[in-house]
Amino acid sequence: MKKNEQIVSYQGKKILIGVMIWLLVPTLIFNLGCKTTKEAVKPISTDDGIITFNFLQLNDVYEIAPLENGTVGGMARVATLRKRLTNENPNTLTVLAGDFLSPSLIGTIKQNGKRIKGAQMVEVMNATGIDLVTFGNHEFDIKEQELQDRINESKFTWLGTSVRRINTKTGKKSKFYQETDSTLNYVPDTWIWEISDEDGTSIKIGFFGATLDMNQVKYVEYLDVTNTCLEAVQSLSLQTDVVIGLTHLNVAEDLELAAKLPQVPLLMGGHDHHHIRESVGNTLVTKADANAKTAYVHTLTYNKNTRKTTVSSKLIDINDQLHSDEEVKSIVDKWKRIMDDNITKIVDQPYAEIYYTKVSLDARESVNRKEQTNIGRMINEAMMKVAKRDVDLSFFNSGSIRIDDQLKGPITPVDVFRILPFGGPLAEIDIKGDLLKKVLNESKNRVGQGAYLQRKKVFYSDQKETWMVNGAPLDPEKEYHAITTEFLLKGIDLKTLHLNDPGITKIYRPDPDDPTDLRNNVILTFIDYLIKLPSERD
Ligand SMILES: [Zn+2]
């Protein structure tokens, strides 16, 4: 019985399993059937209301080729990074937050009788795939028609939120525009980027720009940044899901603006040449290092259900870890050949190391136009060394330093050309004390401008309330021997300093046919000085 019981029991289990299988089979068939029907009606993925997108942020880029012996920067490397990001997520937008048409050494070189003036930059930016830019102060360094040509050549979108163009011939004010054969396309105050992802989530992202009003030129009107930005954001908020700023302001102005725009998660800024990441409330302000030494990659996720945006930002080094995009590199190389052809007319080995500095040489405009700097002191020392006799003082206009960057490491003749792209001869002068006083006072009042002087052996003593020249208070009756630039004597920068002024009793000019007279070109003056300086390389 026991055996039978066992058999029964065994059979019972068998039956039970069999019943279970029969119960399961139709269920499986039903489920499979259902799934097949569902697939036919709707794709597997559905709109989850969440979308992720990237911004690749650059700002203040004047140099198209890598710097510091090829170790950092370079737009061809940026192009590779852009391609990589776009491959990972097609919703990638590449932006440049102002300052790219000037200053640069290439820009000052003439081609076909015209100065290049940023044409090299626009061609490279077009090839790199820049999508959106805002005006920086340096865009107005070039002439009205030159800027018009650059806007016409660009394939990217400009944001002109806080600037207007004044036609200097007619006086008519308008937005900036791009001219085509038949139409004028006005540069917008705001721009909307519409994107969607694979599961069908789609959103609109609105952009506004801002430009600080430091470069006062006749063809530009500056609007109030705060008011225009608030208006732009208000209007964009009604039409879009997310609003983003592309600004060219001082960091203090950016933070002030951020405080007024809590609904804006990100202000991608420029103008400050070193990387910055600060936040006010939920608004993040970022700036990358100038000349594409770094770039910011922002990955944003927007949730349509919660209307929340999250921002994750990474500062990426642009260096030899990124290979150079071939197409962009060939354009960069073309411009480099044009530059080298011009430089080798003046120096034999443009890329030889002539000096190595451990200390940053501060050639930023924001500093040089306001205070005495290490590079200003060095250039003045170089000028004093080439003078034919001892000078009481040396000075030049800070505006002749154009590189707007800090230099560290190896220095080459090309760097000197980049620091002082206009070059030009020096002149020694005998100047009466009373005129010198007027010149120094005018320069002191021109703080923040190119007419502010970098000087040596002369400073203002607050204690004595007088200028001290060569160790003694300035004597209006005395005649001083000074070295300066021929450019300054033209009276363009400082109105009080003009070669025809009777206060200048004698001008000693270099012999243009004497190649050993280094006063013929301040670039050669400074190169010679750096070669003779003990290198700081270990
Ligand atoms: Zn700037």
Side-chain angles (χ1 to χ4, degrees):
M1 284 300 286
K2 260 190 181 177
K3 267 188 184 174
N4 283 342
E5 274 175 20
Q6 273 176 347
I7 290 165
V8 168
S9 162
Y10 173 71
Q11 279 175 339
K13 267 186 191 170
K14 233 182 167 176
I15 289 160
L16 196 64
I17 290 165
V19 170
M20 278 171 75
I21 287 169
W22 277 109
L23 279 170
L24 274 169
V25 168
T27 317
L28 280 168
I29 291 167
F30 177 75
N31 277 343
L32 285 168
C34 268
K35 208 163 188 189
T36 315
T37 320
K38 259 189 192 169
E39 267 171 1
V41 174
K42 232 176 171 183
I44 304 168
S45 48
T46 51
D47 179 2
D48 57 2
I50 297 169
I51 186 163
T52 299
F53 47 100
N54 293 324
F55 298 136
L56 172 56
Q57 176 196 351
L58 298 167
N59 47 273
D60 306 83
V61 183
Y62 315 95
E63 298 292 338
I64 53 180
L67 299 170
E68 295 174 21
N69 245 346
T71 54
V72 295
M75 289 297 280
R77 290 171 179 157
V78 172
T80 299
L81 176 61
R82 183 193 159 270
K83 275 187 184 162
R84 199 179 283 176
L85 291 166
T86 310
N87 284 342
E88 282 166 17
N89 185 348
N91 291 325
T92 296
L93 193 80
T94 306
V95 304
L96 204 165
D99 275 6
F100 44 94
L101 294 182
S102 167
S104 73
L105 173 56
I106 297 176
T108 60
I109 289 167
K110 273 188 184 170
Q111 196 198 27
N112 307 324
K114 260 187 175 178
R115 289 201 191 274
I116 291 164
K117 297 287 180 183
Q120 84 288 2
M121 202 69 218
V122 173
E123 190 180 352
V124 168
M125 286 165 71
N126 285 341
T128 302
I130 301 289
D131 297 296
L132 186 70
V133 302
T134 195
F135 287 89
N137 50 297
H138 281 307
E139 272 57 79
F140 308 128
D141 287 350
I142 60 177
K143 293 181 185 142
E144 188 178 357
Q145 187 55 48
E146 290 167 340
L147 176 57
Q148 187 59 59
D149 292 343
R150 299 298 88 81
I151 296 175
N152 293 349
E153 288 155 9
S154 44
K155 291 181 186 161
F156 41 85
T157 301
W158 293 70
L159 276 171
T161 317
S162 74
V163 288
R164 291 293 180 264
R165 180 187 169 153
I166 303 169
N167 186 317
T168 52
K169 285 187 192 122
T170 62
K172 219 180 120 190
K173 281 180 201 169
S174 71
K175 289 180 179 177
F176 280 86
Y177 48 79
Q178 186 172 49
E179 291 166 331
T180 65
D181 291 339
S182 53
T183 51
L184 292 187
N185 297 317
Y186 285 100
V187 164
D189 286 348
T190 58
W191 181 75
I192 295 172
W193 187 40
E194 285 189 63
I195 52 167
S196 55
D197 64 10
E198 277 176 350
D199 65 42
T201 313
S202 65
I203 60 164
K204 289 177 181 174
I205 303 158
F207 292 86
F208 65 96
T211 307
L212 82 176
D213 63 356
M214 77 177 273
N215 197 354
Q216 297 290 336
V217 292
K218 288 198 177 107
Y219 68 86
V220 181
E221 183 191 31
Y222 293 97
L223 308 176
D224 182 89
V225 165
T226 310
N227 289 342
T228 48
C229 289
L230 286 173
E231 262 173 50
V233 171
Q234 209 169 23
S235 133
L236 283 170
S237 297
L238 301 172
Q239 311 165 61
T240 63
D241 302 281
V242 186
V243 181
I244 302 288
L246 191 61
T247 59
H248 194 87
L249 304 169
N250 292 315
V251 68
E253 294 171 305
D254 269 312
L255 296 175
E256 218 174 281
L257 189 62
K260 290 180 178 124
L261 300 170
Q263 68 274 54
V264 175
L266 177 64
L267 294 181
M268 292 184 277
H271 194 61
D272 297 275
H273 280 199
H274 54 281
H275 62 267
I276 291 173
R277 179 194 187 133
E278 288 199 44
S279 33
V280 178
N282 291 323
T283 306
L284 183 66
V285 174
T286 59
K287 308 189 185 209
D289 294 277
N291 284 323
K293 287 179 184 171
T294 63
Y296 254 111
V297 174
H298 306 284
T299 302
L300 288 85
T301 301
Y302 181 72
N303 186 329
K304 287 184 91 164
N305 308 313
T306 61
R307 294 173 147 202
K308 280 221 164 83
T309 311
T310 58
V311 184
S312 156
S313 304
K314 250 193 210 164
L315 188 70
I316 307 282
D317 287 322
I318 306 296
N319 57 25
D320 49 15
Q321 299 293 306
L322 282 160
H323 76 266
S324 292
D325 178 82
E326 288 304 322
E327 187 203 342
V328 176
K329 189 175 179 294
S330 69
I331 299 169
V332 170
D333 288 346
K334 177 191 81 177
W335 286 106
K336 196 171 162 284
R337 276 194 298 278
I338 294 170
M339 183 178 81
D340 290 350
D341 287 350
N342 277 270
I343 293 177
T344 46
K345 285 177 193 160
I346 304 169
V347 292
D348 294 334
Q349 292 177 290
Y351 295 98
E353 180 180 316
I354 52 169
Y355 181 61
Y356 187 97
T357 178
K358 282 184 181 169
V359 180
S360 273
L361 303 183
D362 199 342
R364 288 174 298 171
E365 281 188 8
S366 57
V367 186
N368 271 276
R369 294 179 178 205
K370 272 190 196 137
E371 57 191 79
Q372 301 295 303
T373 59
N374 55 4
I375 199 155
R377 173 182 52 78
M378 290 166 87
I379 295 168
N380 273 307
E381 278 172 6
M383 288 162 61
M384 284 162 59
K385 281 208 158 70
V386 296
K388 292 294 174 195
R389 65 182 169 97
D390 283 352
V391 293
D392 295 302
L393 70 157
S394 169
F395 57 88
F396 68 95
N397 56 317
S398 60
S400 53
I401 300 177
R402 302 301 282 195
I403 189 169
D404 205 1
D405 199 2
Q406 300 187 77
L407 295 112
K408 214 174 170 182
I411 306 288
T412 67
V414 168
D415 291 321
V416 177
F417 275 84
R418 289 169 58 228
I419 296 164
L420 299 162
F422 300 116
L426 301 175
E428 288 175 58
I429 54 170
D430 289 333
I431 180 167
K432 284 185 180 159
D434 56 350
L435 176 62
L436 180 60
K437 190 178 164 185
K438 281 185 206 160
V439 169
L440 293 169
N441 283 341
E442 187 189 354
S443 150
K444 201 167 161 242
N445 292 330
R446 302 286 290 279
V447 163
Q449 300 172 30
Y452 174 78
L453 296 179
Q454 285 294 325
R455 44 192 154 70
K456 179 85 189 173
K457 285 172 90 177
V458 50
F459 69 95
Y460 188 79
S461 165
D462 285 321
Q463 204 182 9
K464 292 180 181 155
E465 293 184 344
T466 181
W467 288 96
M468 299 294 290
V469 182
N470 203 3
L474 189 149
D475 178 356
E477 304 299 322
K478 203 186 147 184
E479 199 165 79
Y480 292 92
H481 187 63
I483 187 158
T484 185
T485 59
E486 183 72 43
F487 168 78
L488 260 185
L489 300 180
K490 289 181 179 162
I492 298 168
D493 257 16
L494 288 171
K495 305 283 170 265
T496 49
L497 187 64
H498 195 280
L499 48 94
N500 293 331
D501 192 293
I504 295 174
T505 55
K506 190 148 190 199
I507 303 174
Y508 310 81
R509 292 191 168 94
D511 172 3
D513 297 321
D514 178 3
T516 66
D517 193 339
L518 295 173
R519 295 175 305 172
N520 273 307
N521 192 336
V522 65
I523 292 171
L524 295 178
T525 308
F526 196 39
I527 288 174
D528 185 66
Y529 168 85
L530 291 172
I531 287 172
K532 289 173 181 161
L533 212 61
S535 174
E536 289 183 351
R537 197 184 263 284
D538 293 323

